[in-house]
Amino acid sequence: NAGVTQTPKFRVLKTGQSMTLLCAQDMNHEYMYWYRQDPGMGLRLIHYSVGEGTTAKGEVPDGYNVSRLKKQNFLLGLESAAPSQTSVYFCASSGYRVDQETQYFGPGTRLLVL
Amino acid sequence: RKEVEQDPGPFNVPEGATVAFNCTYSNSASQSFFWYRQDCRKEPKLLMSVYSSGNEDGRFTAQLNRASQYISLLIRDSKLSDSATYLCVVNWGSSASKIIFGSGTRLSIRP
């Protein structure tokens, strides 16, 4: 039981490049989330998904796209990376009672955009 | 005013001390509350939920004060291993977009 995994762990991009971050969970959770964490800002929700085939915008969705083609996977895409997207990205998952249930986080992806 | 505010610290206390910190929230409709712990360069992990009646888990006690709109975390007999950043989480609805994380309070326990 791996929980929540993320790939890659670290990536350096040049401005304008694109990339996809992959999140996978093996807990059969309905909900999946993508957050970014910046110093002094706390975790901010980028996009989330309430089930396979669904996605919704969070607090800071601009510049990102997501897809949930399979229940266990949630992909975060950066179409044209900008230095402002330098951050640590965390994926999380939880059961459907989002107001009561624990969120389980992946180990994070550190992204540097030059 | 931020929706969820925490004193960023750092709180630097000696081993064995008792330390407490608060988290204030602005939305009176907030329904559920949690404390997460995040070690340096690691992911957040749930420490404990915060119930209306307060709850205790070993050396950790969490309290909710709805009237003043804050939650608190008390750590007794602190250990070196308690050094971490503590994030409060406030949820004011059943939607994932209603979950707000505080920016965290950094705690450092010295020998």
Side-chain angles (χ1 to χ4, degrees), chain A residues 33-39 41-47 59-62 64 76 78 82-91 109:
Chain A
Y33 318 78
W34 276 107
Y35 292 94
R36 60 177 289 173
Q37 187 175 37
D38 303 292
M41 299 290 289
L43 286 156
R44 291 183 293 169
L45 185 64
I46 303 171
H47 286 281
E59 178 187 356
V60 289
D62 293 342
Y64 306 95
L76 178 71
L78 284 72
S84 60
Q85 293 178 304
T86 294
S87 188
V88 180
Y89 291 86
F90 287 103
C91 175
T109 295

Side-chain angles (χ1 to χ4, degrees), chain A residues 61-72:
Chain A
D62 293 342
Y64 306 95
N65 57 74
V66 288
S67 64
R68 183 108 181 259
L69 298 180
K70 293 183 179 180
K71 185 177 184 179
Q72 63 268 34

Side-chain angles (χ1 to χ4, degrees), chain A residues 31 33 35 37 40-43 45 48 57-59 90 96 98-108 110, chain B residues 2 31-32 34 36 38 40-46 49 87 91 93-97 99-103:
Chain A
Y31 277 66
Y33 318 78
Y35 292 94
Q37 187 175 37
M41 299 290 289
L43 286 156
L45 185 64
Y48 64 99
K57 294 180 180 179
E59 178 187 356
F90 287 103
Y96 70 96
V98 66
D99 57 333
Q100 297 180 12
E101 300 205 30
T102 303
Q103 289 193 36
Y104 294 88
F105 285 83
R110 295 182 178 277
Chain B
K2 286 185 180 179
Q31 299 175 0
S32 55
F34 307 87
Y36 277 70
Q38 186 173 23
C40 187
R41 301 179 74 84
K42 298 287 189 181
E43 71 273 23
K45 292 182 180 179
L46 180 70
S49 302
L87 309 174
N91 185 317
S94 57
S95 166
S97 63
I99 302 171
I100 306 297
F101 281 77
S103 54

